[in-house]
């Protein structure tokens, strides 16, 4: 935990601070200890990490983009009946439950990726390559830079409160969908706010002035309901 957040007799910044304004990648997420993973909750929420000692109280910057990967279960073969272990699917539920609901609630995009087969490797390249995607992202970032020129935020990820409401409130159809989803998915206030940010970003990538139902629907599709622990 000290290596990830901060600590030691003479307090030094951990990896989450060393990655400030960059990307922090965690592979095999459930293999980390539960307490270690939950120590990321404060940095992901506030962009800072604090540690208290008898002789000092230190706060380091820690605004990162967390990217994490995990197998569906320990053996990694949940979707293949010929290779999955005898405990499937219970083993998957136990394995995934190692990542707490509050931590999942702070992760904006949850995406299931199917295993790549040998046949997939000979498929033609996608219609939109990395260069085209990068250009679209750069354009969306420039839109956000102009939007928040005189605001305390710099990107949609940092917008909050009245500022977020002013730039990300969906149209009537989007609001109705979000209200229905909030009840059906039992969204927390944090989850609701994060969906608005993601929907605003999806709209920016699409070149849309406002946030519509289609943008809210896509943002909701990336949301996974936290498990009941």
């Amino acid at each position: 935990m000290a290596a990830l957040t901060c600590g030691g007799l003479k307090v030094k910044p951990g990896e989450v601070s060393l990655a400030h304004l960059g990307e922090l990648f965690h592979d095999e997420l459930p293999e980390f200890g539960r307490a270690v993973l939950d120590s990321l909750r404060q940095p992901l929420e506030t962009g800072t990490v604090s540690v208290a000692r008898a002789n000092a109280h230190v706060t380091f910057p820690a605004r990162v983009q967390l990217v994490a990967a995990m197998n569906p279960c320990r053996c990694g073969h949940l979707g293949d009946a010929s290779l999955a272990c005898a405990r499937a699917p219970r083993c998957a539920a136990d394995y995934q439950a190692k990542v707490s609901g509050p931590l999942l609630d702070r992760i904006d995009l949850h995406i299931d990726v199917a295993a790549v087969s040998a046949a997939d490797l000979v498929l033609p390249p996608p219609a939109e390559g990395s260069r085209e995607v990068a250009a679209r992202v750069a354009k969306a970032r420039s839109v956000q830079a102009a939007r928040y020129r005189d605001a305390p935020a710099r990107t949609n990820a940092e917008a909050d409160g009245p500022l977020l409401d002013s730039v990300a409130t969906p149209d009537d159809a989007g609001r109705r969908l979000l209200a229905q989803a909030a009840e059906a998915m039992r969204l927390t206030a944090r989850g609701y706010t994060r969906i608005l940010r993601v929907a605003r970003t999806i709209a920016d990538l699409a070149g849309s002035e406002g946030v519509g139902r289609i943008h809210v629907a896509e943002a909701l599709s990336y949301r996974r309901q936290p498990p009941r622990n």
Side-chain angles (χ1 to χ4, degrees), residues 142-213:
S142 66
V143 168
Q144 292 179 45
R147 175 183 299 140
Y148 300 116
R149 183 179 294 113
D150 300 319
R154 294 172 299 172
T155 63
N156 296 330
E158 298 176 23
D160 207 355
L163 175 60
L164 181 63
D165 290 338
S166 67
V167 301
T169 296
D171 60 16
D172 290 343
R175 283 199 296 270
R176 286 195 298 270
L177 175 61
L178 187 52
Q180 294 167 2
E183 182 177 353
M185 299 173 67
R186 299 181 182 178
L187 294 176
T188 63
R190 179 185 298 110
Y192 186 95
T193 297
R194 287 177 175 272
I195 285 173
L196 284 180
R197 291 172 179 153
V198 173
R200 177 66 268 180
T201 301
I202 292 170
D204 289 342
L205 289 168
S208 175
E209 187 81 17
V211 178
R213 188 181 190 279

Side-chain angles (χ1 to χ4, degrees), residues 29 37-38 40-41 44 66 99-107 110:
L29 190 66
L37 290 179
D38 281 344
L40 290 172
R41 287 160 56 178
L44 292 177
L66 175 67
V99 184
S100 70
L103 178 59
L104 281 175
D105 202 29
R106 289 167 168 82
I107 299 177
H110 305 156

Side-chain angles (χ1 to χ4, degrees), residues 24-47:
L24 179 67
F25 177 61
H26 273 38
D27 197 11
E28 301 292 353
L29 190 66
E31 298 296 341
F32 289 84
R34 181 72 171 261
V36 175
L37 290 179
D38 281 344
S39 70
L40 290 172
R41 287 160 56 178
Q42 180 199 355
L44 292 177
E45 188 71 22
T46 66

